[in-house]
Amino acid sequence: MTQTPLPYRDSTADLQGILVTDDATSGRRPGIVLFPDARGIGTHAIACAERLAGLGFAVLVADLYGSGRTAPDVPGAIKLMNELRADEERWRGRAQAAHLALSGHDAVDAMRLAAIGYCFGGTTALELAQTGATLAAAVSFHGGLTSLKPDRAAHIKAKVLVCHGAADTLVTMAQLASFEEHMSRTGVDWQVNVYGRAAHGFTNPELVDAALPNHAYDAAADRRSWAAMLGLFEEVFGLKLR
């Protein structure tokens, strides 16, 4: 497995993503933009990217904050996330820059792209889809759902999968219901998987001993949501992944 720094830029910042590929895969392959959680690029995002690279994808772990900046703790992550979200055009432009950087890479088939994300990254993947970006699929794992605008949702070209924990107190079932209502007004191909007893961050094994309020790892929800994503990728890319 190879991790290669991939510099790119949006209108305001130099960005430092990481492209993860498997040397055993040659030629152009489907590409996935992976948006990490609010802390920025970290071990969880890289581990997920490596799993996907091992299945034959080229994966760009996107830089959310510029210069590869990460947050040292939860308060720092919330600060960085809120600063980015407060400037909606900058946020959307940052997601689009990652999409453009991946689509232009020599290892990537620009006609076969997807976006996924975790927590704030899941919200960002959906935000990218709302720009009308050329994506076959967009997947959110325990991501926020309140940024979706009914008028913008109609621009989504991707097939959308939202994986949500029923016990998530940060992204409530009421917010999920609102998301579903908005999506139902569009012609988008979308689906929602809800995992019983799963809390926010359910895909991240780092939470096992973290004692972080309102967050918890759930092995079953992690396994099932990953399988759901692979099922969608099999469908949109015509692959056999499981």
Side-chain angles (χ1 to χ4, degrees), residues 37 39 43-45 47-48 51 118-119 141-142 164-168 170 195-227:
D37 63 38
R39 298 169 299 172
T43 55
H44 175 249
C48 293
R51 290 176 70 186
Y118 297 85
C119 300
F141 296 94
H142 41 80
H164 183 74
D168 191 333
L170 300 181
Y195 304 98
R197 299 187 302 277
H200 196 71
F202 61 79
T203 65
N204 193 343
E206 297 170 10
L207 294 174
V208 171
D209 298 315
L212 186 62
N214 305 312
H215 294 67
Y217 176 64
D218 187 297
D222 182 18
R223 181 179 66 254
R224 292 166 182 167
S225 60
W226 185 266

Side-chain angles (χ1 to χ4, degrees), residues 35-46 62-65 68-81 118-121 142 201 203-207 210 212 215:
F35 295 104
D37 63 38
R39 298 169 299 172
I41 298 172
T43 55
H44 175 249
I46 295 296
D63 180 4
L64 292 172
Y65 304 125
R69 186 180 182 188
T70 60
D73 50 32
V74 172
I78 293 172
K79 181 176 184 293
L80 288 173
M81 176 182 69
Y118 297 85
C119 300
F120 177 50
H142 41 80
T203 65
N204 193 343
E206 297 170 10
L207 294 174
L212 186 62
H215 294 67

Side-chain angles (χ1 to χ4, degrees), residues 138-156:
V139 183
S140 170
F141 296 94
H142 41 80
L145 302 172
T146 57
S147 72
L148 187 106
K149 307 291 193 301
D151 57 332
R152 292 180 181 170
H155 298 154
I156 296 173

Side-chain angles (χ1 to χ4, degrees), residues 112-127:
R112 295 198 292 167
L113 300 176
I116 72 172
Y118 297 85
C119 300
F120 177 50
T123 318
T124 304
L126 295 177
E127 193 69 19

